[in-house]
């Protein structure tokens, strides 16, 4: 999928190297520009891709599955794209892409098996494990992956490709050696995504008077709209619109209690275009009109 995209996309650089039969690696970086960019969800038959991501974010949506994202210091594994609905580069991507043609690389796998004492590498086990993840998985925030990226940063560029191929072979070994335990758990949010969503929440808090849309907030966060909504709900336990409506009502109630602003002025201060729309929303939230709420506050009933 990424291999096909890099062959034709505008890039800052894309250095391809053939490391072994059936195994190629590309050190690449995409330029700044207008994002997100959709890429075709297509993978050549019997091919396996491993992206060692050093920057940017790639978001993938799958049928009836949570959205996946791969960001800095994540490893994306791809063996099948048939379950992928959309794949979007949401900020300039960079990293090392290892591409393995399973048919051509069979001899290398046999040699790898000899290194492990003649252990048979059951590649059908790899397929079963990847099928359990619908052909797509992201490895993040583990001691193993942390050590991989720490080592990668210390190596000269001329050796980084070979190192990532070695780590991809190690992943194949681990996939062969471990049993399938069922559906993969929902991946943890990385720190970059969490910070972006928290920043968007703080922005909403400070700009309740503005028109705040998912499209605007997701662009600000360098996330796809679907990913932004899903991550916000995971962090704050509510959909974005539910959280925003509640915060606007809380701010409106505070202004009714502590200021002499008119209902129209308060409605504008919390992002409503008319006093009637605001009053209807306030009534649904608090069970009383803004005027009734203010009177109760003045009488000490709140």
């Amino acid at each position: 999928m990424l291999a096909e995209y890099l062959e034709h996309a505008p890039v800052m650089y894309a250095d391809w190297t053939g490391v072994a039969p059936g195994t190629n690696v590309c050190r690449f970086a995409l330029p700044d520009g207008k994002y997100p960019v959709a890429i075709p969800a297509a993978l050549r038959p019997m091919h396996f891709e491993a992206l060692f991501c050093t920057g940017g974010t790639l978001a993938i949506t799958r049928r009836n599955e949570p959205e996946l994202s791969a960001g800095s210091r994540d490893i994306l594994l791809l063996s099948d794209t048939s379950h992928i609905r959309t794949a979007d580069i949401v900020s300039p991507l960079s990293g090392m892409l290892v591409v393995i043609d399973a048919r051509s690389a069979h001899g290398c796998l046999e040699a790898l098996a000899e290194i492990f004492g003649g252990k048979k590498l059951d590649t059908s086990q790899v397929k079963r494990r990847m099928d359990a993840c619908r052909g797509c998985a992201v490895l993040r925030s583990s001691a193993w992956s942390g050590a991989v990226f720490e080592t990668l940063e210390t190596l000269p560029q001329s050796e980084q490709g070979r190192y990532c191929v070695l780590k991809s072979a190690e992943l194949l070994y681990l996939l062969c050696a471990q049993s399938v335990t069922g559906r993969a758990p929902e991946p943890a949010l990385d720190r970059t995504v969490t910070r972006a969503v928290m920043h968007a929440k703080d922005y909403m808090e400070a700009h309740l008077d503005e028109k705040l849309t998912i499209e605007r907030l997701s662009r600000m966060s360098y996330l796809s709209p679907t990913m932004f909504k899903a991550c916000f709900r995971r962090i704050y336990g509510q959909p974005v619109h539910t959280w925003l409506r509640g915060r606007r009502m809380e701010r409106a109630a505070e202004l009714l209690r502590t200021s002499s602003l008119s209902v129209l002025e308060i409605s504008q201060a919390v992002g409503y275009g008319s006093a009637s729309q605001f009053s209807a929303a306030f009534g649904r939230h608090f069970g009383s009109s803004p005027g009734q709420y203010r009177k109760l506050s003045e009488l000490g009933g709140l």
Side-chain angles (χ1 to χ4, degrees), residues 243-299:
W243 180 92
L244 181 58
R245 183 172 59 247
R247 187 66 193 93
R248 280 174 162 158
M249 292 300 102
E250 291 169 7
R251 177 59 177 156
E254 179 185 353
L255 291 173
L256 286 167
R257 293 193 307 268
T258 62
S259 78
S260 59
L261 295 174
S262 69
V263 170
L264 176 59
E265 289 172 323
I266 292 174
S267 70
Q268 293 171 341
V270 295
Y272 283 84
S274 70
S276 60
Q277 288 179 336
F278 165 69
S279 295
F282 192 92
R284 287 192 297 269
H285 192 83
F286 286 103
S288 64
S289 70
Q292 292 170 333
Y293 185 94
R294 174 169 270 170
K295 287 179 181 178
L296 283 171
S297 174
E298 291 171 349
L299 293 171

Side-chain angles (χ1 to χ4, degrees), residues 19-289:
V19 176
T23 305
N24 296 292
V25 63
C26 179
R27 186 174 66 87
F28 74 93
L30 300 184
D32 292 334
K34 188 176 180 180
Y35 290 90
V37 173
I39 64 175
L43 188 68
R44 295 186 181 103
M46 299 293 291
H47 276 65
F48 179 92
E49 290 186 357
L51 169 65
F52 294 76
C53 185
T54 58
T57 305
L58 174 67
I60 293 173
T61 61
R62 300 167 297 168
R63 297 179 181 85
N64 304 315
E65 294 285 343
E67 182 174 274
L68 284 177
S69 70
S72 181
R73 298 175 72 89
D74 291 340
I75 301 172
L76 171 69
L77 304 178
L78 281 173
S79 64
D80 180 9
T81 58
S82 62
H83 298 279
I84 295 177
R85 294 177 58 194
T86 61
D88 297 291
I89 299 172
V90 297
S91 59
L93 201 63
S94 63
M96 306 292 297
L97 178 67
V98 177
V99 183
I100 298 174
D101 181 343
R103 292 165 297 194
S104 301
H106 181 74
C108 292
L109 290 176
E110 291 293 330
L112 181 63
E114 290 299 319
I115 293 174
F116 292 111
K119 176 181 173 63
K120 177 177 174 56
L121 292 184
D122 183 4
T123 53
S124 64
Q125 181 81 316
V126 177
K127 184 178 187 305
R128 287 194 294 272
R129 283 188 61 81
M130 290 303 296
D131 285 349
C133 299
R134 303 294 189 268
C136 180
V138 176
L139 307 180
R140 68 175 102 244
S141 302
S142 69
W144 186 87
S145 63
V148 168
F149 284 101
E150 287 175 10
T151 303
L152 185 62
E153 291 167 0
T154 68
L155 293 173
Q157 290 182 356
S158 59
E159 295 301 320
Q160 290 177 353
R162 292 183 180 87
Y163 178 73
C164 287
V165 170
L166 176 64
K167 293 290 110 176
S168 298
E170 186 176 340
L171 277 174
L172 287 175
Y173 165 72
L174 292 172
L175 288 171
C176 288
Q178 297 174 8
S179 61
V180 177
T181 58
R183 180 176 173 175
E186 187 174 5
L189 296 176
D190 65 24
R191 289 188 297 272
T192 302
V193 172
T194 300
R195 284 196 298 267
V197 173
M198 293 175 69
H199 174 75
K201 190 271 293 184
D202 291 342
Y203 183 89
M204 287 189 282
E205 287 265 19
H207 298 82
L208 293 174
D209 59 323
E210 297 181 3
K211 184 178 180 181
L212 301 169
T213 64
I214 295 295
E215 289 74 18
R216 179 183 174 188
L217 294 166
S218 60
R219 283 198 304 270
M220 180 190 305
S221 305
Y222 294 100
L223 301 171
S224 70
T226 301
M227 183 178 178
F228 177 79
K229 290 188 291 184
C231 293
F232 189 97
R233 186 163 190 161
R234 287 181 61 187
I235 294 170
Y236 295 105
Q238 292 180 310
V240 180
H241 290 302
T242 300
W243 180 92
L244 181 58
R245 183 172 59 247
R247 187 66 193 93
R248 280 174 162 158
M249 292 300 102
E250 291 169 7
R251 177 59 177 156
E254 179 185 353
L255 291 173
L256 286 167
R257 293 193 307 268
T258 62
S259 78
S260 59
L261 295 174
S262 69
V263 170
L264 176 59
E265 289 172 323
I266 292 174
S267 70
Q268 293 171 341
V270 295
Y272 283 84
S274 70
S276 60
Q277 288 179 336
F278 165 69
S279 295
F282 192 92
R284 287 192 297 269
H285 192 83
F286 286 103
S288 64
S289 70

